[in-house]
Amino acid sequence: MRKKILFGFLTLLLLSGCSMNRIAMKATKPLISATFSQILDEPDLMIAKSAVESDLKLLEGILVHRPKDRELLELAALGYTAYAMAFAEDDDPVRASELYQRGRMYAKRGLCTYGVTDSLFILPPEQLERKLAKLPSSANGLIVWGGLAWGLQIIQSLDNPELIADLPRVTTMVNLIRERDSTYFYGITLLFFGVLDGFRPKMMGGNPEVSEQTFDRCRSITNGRFLLERVYRARYLYVPTMNEERFRSELQAVIDAPIDCLPNNRLLTAIAKAKAKRYLAQASDWF
């Protein structure tokens, strides 16, 4: 009898533990989302960098228990892509490539919850587009951050022919969201295509005139308040075309802009300012 009571007590404790774990996971999810939102308005890059690093590890810990949570997988894809873009690509391209790969991995895991399989990403671009186009708008974030992570990884690894061969699939993914909603995240898909058309030589599909027009469209979405558009225009359009005057004027405009020019997102502005100062200091290496 005593053994039965003890067994029943232990079972109750285990069930209670599972229940408490589920409650904790449900409570933590909105907290993570809110924290990421708060980080976006943090103007101090050192604080933001430390906070993003700890939150990404916490997020990965939660995903161990909720491996198919689409919202959390999208946050992980966004988080690693944005972290690499902000804090790694200028200092350590190899590390940035690895971080982009991690962001891409989380996006693919999220897309798998919609029935997408890994084999889809080795199909010809036309077939990839048909499959992804059938997904609902709730998959937009996973598609775009997966595509951006993949594309930015390629830009960091131009000496890797296997990755470069994937570029048509990348442009298919990002273009799908550009056509659905070109204003998504301040026009991030337009920013990507502006970079892509700007830094590639014409023999590899680049087109400076199209790049300029695409950057202009991106700028119009926020009336020029999304300063990363100016930074990437300077770096990936005006450096390849050797337009030092425009390069310097764009970056100086970023430095002179108020830190709160993009509402509720001082972090992106702070990142743009840091990159602008870095690129101006490197001007003599490029011109």
Side-chain angles (χ1 to χ4, degrees):
M1 181 66 178
R2 292 175 64 183
K3 288 184 177 179
K4 289 183 178 179
I5 293 173
L6 179 60
F7 177 76
F9 179 66
L10 290 174
T11 302
L12 181 62
L13 280 178
L14 288 171
L15 289 174
S16 175
C18 291
S19 178
M20 289 300 292
N21 185 56
R22 285 195 294 269
I23 292 171
M25 290 300 104
K26 287 182 179 180
T28 306
K29 180 177 174 179
L31 180 62
I32 287 288
S33 298
T35 301
F36 269 84
S37 296
Q38 284 298 109
I39 291 172
L40 284 174
D41 203 33
E42 173 56 60
D44 188 303
L45 291 182
M46 291 183 66
I47 293 175
K49 182 175 183 290
S50 178
V52 172
E53 288 168 346
S54 60
D55 282 350
L56 282 172
K57 295 313 296 180
L58 175 59
L59 182 55
E60 287 186 317
I62 296 172
L63 280 167
V64 171
H65 299 280
R66 305 187 66 168
K68 295 183 179 181
D69 189 305
R70 291 169 179 168
E71 185 178 346
L72 294 180
L73 289 166
E74 182 179 333
L75 273 178
L78 184 160
Y80 273 107
T81 303
Y83 181 89
M85 195 176 183
F87 303 114
E89 68 176 17
D90 293 320
D91 295 311
D92 191 343
V94 173
R95 179 169 180 255
S97 179
E98 292 170 352
L99 292 168
Y100 284 131
Q101 172 64 24
R102 197 177 298 191
R104 176 186 164 199
M105 178 268 292
Y106 281 115
K108 286 175 68 176
R109 278 178 53 182
L111 290 171
C112 283
T113 66
Y114 286 95
V116 172
T117 61
D118 280 350
S119 61
L120 177 65
F121 297 96
I122 61 174
L123 292 176
E126 300 79 12
Q127 294 182 42
L128 175 64
E129 181 179 21
R130 284 198 296 270
K131 294 285 186 180
L132 293 180
K134 295 178 182 179
L135 299 183
S137 60
S138 58
N140 283 2
L142 291 165
I143 295 171
V144 75
W145 293 113
L148 288 172
W150 198 355
L152 292 168
Q153 182 187 16
I154 291 172
I155 291 173
Q156 295 295 314
S157 310
L158 291 176
D159 57 344
N160 187 331
E162 290 185 10
L163 272 177
I164 294 174
D166 288 332
L167 196 55
R169 299 181 182 88
V170 172
T171 57
T172 292
M173 293 178 69
V174 181
N175 188 57
L176 178 62
I177 306 305
R178 177 172 63 168
E179 292 182 346
R180 285 185 175 182
D181 180 11
S182 62
T183 68
Y184 182 90
F185 201 83
Y186 311 114
I188 191 74
T189 59
L190 295 170
L191 177 68
F192 175 76
F193 279 107
V195 168
L196 201 60
D197 286 323
F199 89 96
R200 288 186 300 174
K202 286 190 175 182
M203 62 181 295
M204 294 180 62
N207 189 319
E209 292 77 18
V210 171
S211 173
E212 188 93 64
Q213 294 168 7
T214 306
F215 277 123
D216 286 345
R217 288 178 58 200
C218 181
R219 182 174 299 186
S220 68
I221 291 170
T222 61
N223 293 319
R225 293 176 294 180
F226 180 44
L227 298 184
L228 281 173
E229 174 270 318
R230 288 183 179 270
V231 170
Y232 281 95
R233 184 194 295 242
R235 173 66 183 87
Y236 291 104
L237 174 59
Y238 296 144
V239 171
T241 55
M242 299 302 291
N243 192 334
E244 184 176 1
E245 182 180 353
R246 293 293 301 275
F247 171 86
R248 290 184 177 277
S249 66
E250 288 290 346
L251 296 181
Q252 192 60 51
V254 171
I255 293 170
D256 294 339
I259 190 65
D260 58 352
C261 65
L262 188 64
N264 304 315
N265 209 323
R266 291 182 292 176
L267 176 58
L268 288 184
T269 301
I271 291 168
K273 286 176 173 290
K275 283 180 175 289
K277 292 175 182 177
R278 174 190 285 266
Y279 293 163
L280 275 175
Q282 293 177 274
S284 60
D285 296 331
W286 292 328
F287 296 100

